[in-house]
Amino acid sequence: MKRFALLTALLVAITPSLFADEGMWLVGGIDKGLMSKMRSAGLKLSAEEIFSENGASLSDAVVALDFMGTGSFISPEGLLITNHHVAYADIHSISTMEHNWLEDGFLARERSQEIPITGRRAFVLKKMLDVTEEVHYVQDSAAKTSKPALSRRLSYIMEKRYADAFPGCEISFESMWRGEKYYIMVYAVYNDLRLVAAPPACIGAFGGNVDNWEWPQHKGDFAIYRVYTAPDGTPAEYSPDNVPLCPEKYLTINAGGLRGGDYTMVMGFPGRTNRYNSSYAVEYAALSANPITVKAQGEIMEIMNSHMERKPETRLKYADSYFSISNVQELREGEMKALRRYGVPEICRLRERELQAWIDAAPERKSRWGSLLPDMDAAYRKVHDAKLQVLRFREYAIRGCESMTIATKLDSHIRTAVGKGNTDPEALVAPLTAEEAHKLYPDMDLALEKERFVHSIVRMDSEIGRAELGAAFNEMADRFGGDVEAMARWAWDHSFFSSPEAFIGFTSTEHPLSAYHSDPAMALLKSVSIADFNRSVTDIEEKYGKLSHYDAEYTHALYEMGLDKGIPQYPDANSTLRLTFGHVCPLHPSDARFVAEKSTSKGILEKYDPTDYEFNVNDDFLALLKEGDWGRWGDRKDGKMYVNFLSDNDITGGNSGSPVMDAKGRLVGLAFDGNKESLCSDAYFHPDYCKTVSVDIRYVLWILEKYLKADHLLSEMKIINQ
């Protein structure tokens, strides 16, 4: 009994929901218990002021930017602020060597200069409906027919039903706790977004990949759009006749500054967490999968960076791609280390012992889940090696080189042209138009792409193993006496992939299917597909059970145990609107180390290095920093310019750009990063080490006024100093 009591105590000590600063809570599910915790932490608002379906509330000011980042309205005329790195791809897409808005920064001095961003959408949550009982009725009814309501069909049925009820809105059907609860999210969607302002990358991304996930940081990580609507105020596609949106709610900006211990609240659309993962899934990530990803992406980054350093035009072409790869690579590396450091697999095993004891304590639970954990353990072990082969193929073949992307798209065209399943070598493939060919073959640095192609082919051979790479790969390797690098270089040089001229020249004329298949690069890239590797996983799961089924049942069991024990629970993040609360706080990252909760402009000058792209700033900005005229944005007590700050809010990817609000719901910063010690937070939130890194709104306002000279934008905002 003493051992069981100790185990229970250990489990309670690590239960995330018991920490006031942890939890990505659904904004539509704020109950009295959560409100009590937030008020004790310092909140000065009511639940209705945070989220209301009957009137304007803070949630109406928070938007999902294509569910890849978050933004917030900051003026009655549709100004929307987010992170520079959320807007990075948009800024990159409109930049040229003549107008390099990424490197030079951008400001529309009048509305006619605001640049429309094709494809960018803003989603505002209008309603959140619990439809769990309705879903169960649909499932029960469908089970009596020949068309059971499986996941995709269930989504279609529910979204169609509510689309009819809310015309003009976008409907999203969401499962929580892997099917324990179901919700309908109703969104107003705005399609006309225009870029208004962005600092240059040397400000917005100062420190670059080197400082990513680190603390202290010194990034001016913000960008501003304006949202437009039709003249009648309804969402509309871009038109010069559109007018700025009048949002139901926009945020007041508090330029009074934050102090250590001040309440902070973040609202946003966090992407994915796996806090209900088993020890088997965590160990797979920490010990097996992440090391492969970190190594593979690190090698690709080295290749890309070597070419980007030599040619500015190459840097511009690959800036967005490199940024994306580096962000994921460092995340996975940090996640791997943190999972090990905090002993997360063992924490999960403690939870599983508690879960098994709870299951065994009741016959009905034992009947449903009695063998869940041992069966799950066996399935994960059996499928382990096959899953790693899938991952290696994805990292080295698919993500490793742009040529695979081109080959896959071209293969789709070929199948359409000759008919799916047609393998007749004499079947003729219709030519592509020049426009179609250009879309398939992007503007690339050919020396870089050749090196990526060769590297990918060599790594496929060494990491996956030739026996699994298909007949075409093996036959060609044999012709080169097993010298795979020589084979890869020859294949590139003799392929229509080797240049846009060769690609367009070949695909613009009619050829038989055999001509495409005999292209050496195409033959290597299509010798085997990821479907072949996935099939191996499927074969094992048919015998031992699907991991997705075990994961779902494991989550259901944990959820039911939480209900039974009266433990407050929040569902894993899934790009729905969430709230998290905490406080401004310092960090003790490791033994004998302490770092303060705020960074200042002094740190930019200390890091400044004109020979290092990541830590260089332009002359105009450098002069402003040295002058030190902070105006009305300097701290009231010590006169310093605070740049970034730490808080213990619980966030993840998708929260980038989320408004950080004070106890009265006023904007004080923008969340943009986590610290390196927090990088296992998708699986486990550590109450001492998991922090949010945010840009101080005063630094943003100073950049707008002093550097960008954007007084006309400041005049739109409601700014107080309290």
Side-chain angles (χ1 to χ4, degrees), residues 66-67 121-128 158-160 162-174 184-191 235 237:
D66 296 298
F67 298 99
R121 299 183 298 169
F123 293 72
V124 181
L125 180 66
K126 307 311 293 182
K127 287 186 178 296
M128 173 181 160
M158 297 302 296
E159 289 177 359
K160 175 68 168 62
Y162 282 89
D164 294 339
F166 296 99
C169 294
E170 183 147 329
I171 308 299
S172 180
F173 176 65
E174 302 291 348
I184 284 288
M185 306 296 180
V186 182
Y187 296 99
V189 184
Y190 299 96
N191 302 311
E237 298 294 334

Side-chain angles (χ1 to χ4, degrees), residues 393-394 397-399 401-416 440 496-497 503 521-531:
F393 186 82
R394 182 178 291 117
I398 297 176
R399 294 174 179 163
C401 63
E402 186 65 31
S403 309
M404 177 61 92
T405 302
I406 300 171
T408 300
K409 292 178 179 178
L410 182 59
D411 195 46
S412 178
H413 163 73
I414 293 169
R415 289 198 306 272
T416 301
L440 286 184
F496 53 69
F497 285 107
F503 185 83
M522 186 80 170
L524 288 176
L525 292 170
K526 304 305 293 183
S527 178
V528 66
S529 74
I530 196 166

Side-chain angles (χ1 to χ4, degrees), residues 252-478:
T252 296
I253 297 173
N254 182 7
L258 293 166
R259 301 285 178 267
D262 282 357
Y263 179 90
T264 51
M265 181 169 66
V266 174
M267 290 178 67
F269 293 83
R272 292 286 166 184
T273 56
N274 294 290
R275 300 271 172 90
Y276 292 84
N277 261 1
S278 65
S279 62
Y280 322 117
V282 169
E283 285 181 324
Y284 173 78
L287 304 178
S288 301
N290 281 358
I292 292 172
T293 297
V294 169
K295 176 185 176 184
Q297 294 184 350
E299 291 169 350
I300 292 300
M301 286 167 57
E302 286 183 17
I303 293 171
M304 295 175 72
N305 192 54
S306 67
H307 290 267
M308 292 165 67
E309 288 289 334
R310 292 196 294 267
K311 296 168 66 176
E313 57 268 34
T314 300
R315 180 176 294 283
L316 178 59
K317 288 178 184 178
Y318 288 86
D320 185 46
S321 175
Y322 183 85
F323 178 82
S324 298
I325 295 171
S326 66
N327 200 44
V328 173
Q329 194 263 355
E330 193 163 1
L331 168 63
R332 294 302 170 221
E333 182 175 34
E335 179 182 55
M336 175 175 64
K337 292 178 179 178
L339 288 170
R340 291 172 175 170
R341 175 183 176 183
Y342 308 142
V344 177
E346 180 56 29
I347 288 172
C348 291
R349 283 191 285 272
L350 286 173
R351 181 172 66 181
E352 284 153 14
R353 290 174 206 164
E354 182 81 1
L355 178 63
Q356 188 67 60
W358 176 81
I359 291 170
D360 292 341
E364 67 276 9
R365 298 197 291 257
K366 192 169 184 179
S367 174
R368 179 177 177 182
W369 295 308
S371 65
L372 172 63
L373 293 176
D375 290 348
M376 194 174 185
D377 184 14
Y380 263 90
R381 292 180 188 280
K382 293 295 183 180
V383 82
H384 177 272
D385 291 347
K387 281 177 64 68
L388 289 185
Q389 287 293 70
V390 172
L391 178 62
R392 291 185 185 103
F393 186 82
R394 182 178 291 117
E395 292 297 340
Y396 289 110
I398 297 176
R399 294 174 179 163
C401 63
E402 186 65 31
S403 309
M404 177 61 92
T405 302
I406 300 171
T408 300
K409 292 178 179 178
L410 182 59
D411 195 46
S412 178
H413 163 73
I414 293 169
R415 289 198 306 272
T416 301
V418 303
K420 188 176 180 180
N422 186 354
T423 59
D424 180 5
E426 300 306 315
L428 293 176
V429 179
L432 294 170
T433 65
E435 182 180 358
E436 290 171 333
H438 276 295
K439 285 183 179 179
L440 286 184
Y441 199 102
D443 185 18
M444 303 185 295
D445 182 303
L446 296 180
L448 186 158
E449 289 304 327
K450 178 178 180 178
E451 190 172 348
R452 283 179 69 177
F453 174 82
V454 172
H455 174 82
S456 294
I457 297 300
V458 170
R459 281 288 181 263
M460 285 168 65
D461 179 60
S462 63
E463 301 296 327
I464 297 173
R466 198 172 302 167
E468 295 193 52
L469 292 176
F473 192 106
N474 278 270
E475 289 168 6
M476 197 180 303
D478 289 342

Side-chain angles (χ1 to χ4, degrees), residues 176 344 535 588 674:
M176 307 292 175
V344 177
R535 199 172 296 113
H588 297 266

Side-chain angles (χ1 to χ4, degrees), residues 646-684:
L646 283 181
S647 64
D648 53 11
N649 294 85
D650 185 4
I651 69 168
T652 191
N655 271 122
S656 291
S658 291
V660 183
M661 293 172 273
D662 64 12
K664 295 183 178 180
R666 301 170 302 196
L667 184 66
V668 291
L670 303 175
F672 72 85
D673 207 356
N675 58 311
K676 183 163 285 187
E677 295 77 19
S678 75
L679 293 185
C680 70
S681 64
D682 282 0
Y684 171 67

